[in-house]
Amino acid sequence: MLPSFFIAHGAPLLAIEDNEYTQFLNHLGKQLPRPKAIVLFSAHWESPVQKVSAVDNYSTIYDFGGFPEALYTIQYPARGSKEVSKEIEKLFVEHGVPYEVDKERGLDHGAWVVLRLLYPEADIPVISMSVNPKLSPVEQYKIGKSISKLREKDILIIGSGGTVHNLGALKMGNGIGQIDDWALDFDLWLERQLNNWDLESLFNYQSSAPSSSLAVPPYGNEHFIPIFYAMGAADDHQKAALVHRSYRYGNLSHSVWQFGGKM
């Protein structure tokens, strides 16, 4: 059975960079058993009701500005899977999760940057999923849990976001390896709770975690919450493993968490 993952998508520049993190994701894609399909919850697709994509062929969305022209020429022509989308719909009905089907939206950079680094050939079907920052962590976890059976069918479930993501605090002159204390403190707290699968503390991270208002600012929690969807998808085997962590710009985390045991 495949594990689920929380994967930081960092800045869009990762799509054209060669560094420690991009090399790790390249290797991870080769190391994982080849999935039948990929279900990805992206921080850059917010909706008040859970969205399930049912797209034949995805367009590539450039939901960013001010970056090198090379980024705007990248294509990630992934196809969808109506079969897997229907399976997700069925599971949502069984577990009482309200949802809507989307037949038009392409892949935002929270999805295609990660997917292109993992599977550059774009030859694995993708089902794109929205996130809802206004739901409680309990409800976000429940949505992930409701589709956990997909992992038994060799379907890879990913939450794409960032454990520490505060654009207002970035230090653009800082490279890899320079880490603000507050960012590291938050991630180390998170590591302890994830290793213990301490849902009570995690669900109350805003009051429990050090520097939570900096690491997960009130206007930017959409990047943190995909971790709850990914955790919920591994509720049947409550085991977490940090498989990569690095930083850019002083505090932008490149964390990758694996949930659900060994590959």
Side-chain angles (χ1 to χ4, degrees):
M1 182 187 298
L2 285 171
S4 61
F5 285 90
F6 174 81
I7 301 178
H9 60 250
L13 285 171
L14 285 177
I16 56 174
E17 291 179 328
D18 180 13
N19 57 41
E20 174 190 2
Y21 187 45
T22 61
Q23 291 170 16
F24 170 80
L25 291 179
N26 288 155
H27 176 71
L28 180 62
K30 295 172 183 175
Q31 182 185 20
L32 282 169
R34 183 177 174 83
K36 172 187 173 183
I38 302 167
V39 176
L40 187 144
F41 293 89
S42 173
H44 286 275
W45 188 8
E46 299 177 50
S47 66
V49 177
Q50 180 63 52
K51 298 281 191 177
V52 181
S53 67
V55 174
D56 289 324
N57 296 284
Y58 289 98
S59 59
T60 304
I61 302 174
Y62 308 102
D63 50 336
F64 46 78
F67 289 93
E69 185 61 30
L71 277 176
Y72 303 93
T73 64
I74 292 173
Q75 296 286 320
Y76 191 78
R79 67 186 189 280
S81 170
K82 298 288 182 63
E83 176 188 354
V84 178
S85 294
K86 287 293 185 183
E87 287 188 61
I88 293 171
E89 291 181 56
K90 181 180 177 182
L91 290 169
F92 280 166
V93 170
E94 289 178 3
H95 291 87
V97 176
Y99 71 92
E100 295 176 354
V101 176
D102 183 284
K103 298 182 178 181
E104 297 181 356
R105 193 177 188 275
L107 294 176
D108 57 67
H109 84 272
W112 64 258
V113 169
V114 167
L115 292 173
R116 186 169 177 267
L117 289 167
L118 291 171
Y119 302 107
E121 300 301 318
D123 55 355
I124 298 174
V126 175
I127 297 82
S128 185
M129 307 282 280
S130 66
V131 298
N132 183 356
K134 294 184 178 179
L135 289 179
S136 69
V138 173
E139 293 170 302
Q140 293 154 356
Y141 187 96
K142 175 187 173 184
I143 291 172
K145 183 178 178 179
S146 71
I147 62 169
S148 61
K149 286 187 177 180
L150 295 177
R151 293 172 41 240
E152 298 174 2
K153 300 182 178 182
D154 297 325
I155 294 173
L156 179 61
I157 301 174
I158 297 173
S160 171
T163 58
V164 180
H165 187 277
N166 185 336
L167 298 182
L170 296 184
K171 301 173 181 176
M172 299 307 293
N174 285 22
I176 297 173
Q178 299 175 323
I179 310 165
D180 289 338
D181 289 342
W182 61 265
L184 185 58
D185 287 345
F186 178 85
D187 266 345
L188 291 177
W189 175 90
L190 181 63
E191 181 178 356
R192 290 192 295 273
Q193 314 320 312
L194 289 173
N195 285 336
N196 292 323
W197 210 271
D198 184 348
L199 294 180
E200 182 177 357
S201 294
L202 289 164
F203 291 163
N204 292 286
Y205 71 92
Q206 290 173 312
S207 58
S208 301
S211 303
S212 61
S213 61
L214 278 172
V216 188
Y219 59 83
N221 68 329
E222 77 285 341
H223 276 76
F224 183 68
I225 62 171
I227 203 165
F228 295 126
Y229 294 86
M231 284 187 75
D235 181 77
D236 56 338
H237 188 176
Q238 296 181 355
K239 184 175 178 60
L242 178 65
V243 293
H244 179 89
R245 182 165 61 209
S246 57
Y247 296 85
R248 291 289 295 275
Y249 315 124
N251 51 68
L252 182 65
S253 65
H254 291 161
S255 295
V256 179
W257 279 93
Q258 175 182 313
F259 302 118
K262 296 181 179 180
M263 293 178 285

